[in-house]
Amino acid sequence: MATKKAKKAPAKKKAAPKKKAAPKKKAAPKKKAAPKKKVKRTPNGAFMKAMTIGEALHPIVGSKPLPRTEVVKKLWEYIKKNKLQDPKEKRNINADDNLKKVFNGKKTVSMFEMTKLVSKHLS
């Protein structure tokens, strides 16, 4: 009879030794960029266009045509002068008699709603 040779298990390969990572190089100090020259912005023509003021806004901002930005500035001056900003919730404006006409009779209006209500009185 023929003898069977026992099969040997394949030899396991040895893992290659891990190489040590090269030490990290420190980053070179960055050069500070030269300060940029400030370019004066030119205002957008649509914002600077004079608008006619509605009757309800006359006691607050006057009757002369003004750009929308100036109307909002004068409105805030009026609010601060008469202390109409809510002391607890600064985003709310408490309307007096003049502002109630602008705010469609509302007693309290948020500053975001205010601009929407004021735009109805500008044309």
Side-chain angles (χ1 to χ4, degrees), residues 62-98:
S63 58
K64 292 190 307 183
L66 293 170
R68 182 182 307 270
T69 54
E70 288 297 316
V71 171
V72 173
K73 279 183 188 177
K74 288 192 181 240
L75 191 62
W76 273 108
E77 286 174 12
Y78 179 83
I79 290 168
K80 301 249 177 166
K81 182 177 112 183
N82 294 315
K83 298 179 182 169
L84 298 173
Q85 196 170 5
D86 193 336
K88 289 182 182 175
E89 185 63 43
K90 298 280 187 184
R91 288 180 285 183
N92 291 340
I93 286 68
N94 299 322
D96 64 353
D97 292 333
N98 290 331

Side-chain angles (χ1 to χ4, degrees), residues 40-48:
K40 193 167 186 179
R41 291 178 49 198
T42 56
N44 186 343
F47 285 118
M48 300 312 292

Side-chain angles (χ1 to χ4, degrees), residues 93 95 99-106 109 114 117-118 121:
I93 286 68
L99 282 178
K100 278 186 183 177
K101 295 174 189 172
V102 177
F103 297 160
N104 296 332
K106 291 184 179 181
V109 172
M114 177 188 76
L117 293 170
V118 167
H121 298 282

